[in-house]
Amino acid sequence: MVFAALNVVKQVVVDNKTTFEVYGLNVSSSPGIIFNFVQSSLWGFIYPTSVNLVVLLYCFLCQNFCRQINRITHEIQECRVENFTLSKQANISAQEARIGDLLHLTQRVFSVTSFLISAAHFCARITVLGSLILDAITFIKDYTLLCQLVLLFLNSSGGLLACLWTAGGLPLAEDELKDAFRRKMRERLHLFGKVDEECFQQ
């Protein structure tokens, strides 16, 4: 919506347009402004709004998985060595397997999508930087276009950072879970010696 508003402001205030061409027809200012606003809004919904919604969903899912993995890790760390029995290990392994299945499904769904989103954000950032470097004088004179480019750059930077940051947190959380499980198994082994229990390796 911000991009659409800036586009209409640019055409009306900066360019002083009184008539607008809509599909080959010259229309007066009010219908032309409405049409341009709706058209710009639709283009803005395609990029960056729809991309941001997908990034938001992906980040939400990744954060949810991280929270669940951290909850299991905390449960392992808080569990006393004496209570870390075979049934407790089996329960933790079942929870981890369920989260792993959901995570695998999410990765299958979002693997190509997250790559395309990252590529789109990266290309948008490079395009904005290239435009500002090559044609800085035009953007200094046209403040609405400069505002659009700055907003696009900030949006692309934020989307790229959010996508990479949240996805990068999952392997760290999984490593912490595995380390906590193995540490607790070692503590149990040192306390009780060899026991006739199956060691669930994460």
Side-chain angles (χ1 to χ4, degrees):
M1 297 297 271
V2 175
F3 291 105
L6 285 172
N7 189 30
V8 170
V9 167
K10 177 185 178 298
Q11 290 179 351
V12 174
V13 177
V14 177
D15 298 339
N16 291 325
K17 279 192 174 182
T18 55
T19 60
F20 297 88
E21 187 173 323
V22 177
Y23 294 114
L25 300 173
N26 287 328
V27 295
S28 62
S29 60
S30 297
I33 289 172
I34 293 170
F35 177 80
N36 282 341
F37 182 76
V38 171
Q39 182 186 27
S40 299
S41 297
L42 290 175
W43 279 113
F45 181 77
I46 293 172
Y47 184 84
T49 306
S50 61
V51 174
N52 288 340
L53 291 175
V54 175
V55 168
L56 188 64
L57 175 63
Y58 182 63
C59 292
F60 173 76
L61 290 173
C62 289
Q63 285 297 104
N64 189 30
F65 288 131
C66 278
R67 266 196 305 272
Q68 291 182 25
I69 292 171
N70 289 335
R71 180 185 53 80
I72 296 173
T73 304
H74 183 71
E75 182 181 340
I76 292 172
Q77 291 170 345
E78 293 297 315
C79 180
R80 297 180 60 185
V81 178
E82 297 83 6
N83 297 333
F84 200 65
T85 59
L86 180 63
S87 60
K88 182 72 172 177
Q89 296 169 30
N91 183 25
I92 289 172
S93 295
Q95 292 180 50
E96 195 270 336
R98 182 180 58 83
I99 293 172
D101 291 341
L102 293 173
L103 184 58
H104 181 68
L105 177 64
T106 304
Q107 287 174 339
R108 283 179 54 198
V109 170
F110 283 97
S111 61
V112 176
T113 308
S114 61
F115 170 75
L116 293 176
I117 287 172
S118 299
H121 282 317
F122 181 76
C123 290
R125 291 182 65 199
I126 295 300
T127 302
V128 169
L129 288 176
S131 300
L132 289 174
I133 291 170
L134 293 176
D135 201 10
I137 296 172
T138 303
F139 297 112
I140 291 172
K141 293 177 182 176
D142 191 352
Y143 66 91
T144 56
L145 193 56
L146 181 63
C147 288
Q148 284 181 333
L149 286 180
V150 168
L151 285 174
L152 183 62
F153 182 80
L154 292 175
N155 175 72
S156 300
S157 300
L160 186 61
L161 181 65
C163 196
L164 296 177
W165 185 284
T166 54
L170 283 171
L172 296 175
E174 288 178 336
D175 288 343
E176 287 180 10
L177 173 63
K178 292 175 183 178
D179 289 343
F181 190 90
R182 290 179 182 137
R183 193 178 309 114
K184 194 63 72 172
M185 287 299 300
R186 281 196 302 270
E187 290 175 5
R188 184 169 175 81
L189 183 64
H190 290 152
L191 184 63
F192 295 107
K194 285 193 174 182
V195 290
D196 296 330
E197 293 183 354
E198 182 182 353
C199 179
F200 287 91
Q201 289 296 324
Q202 297 286 319

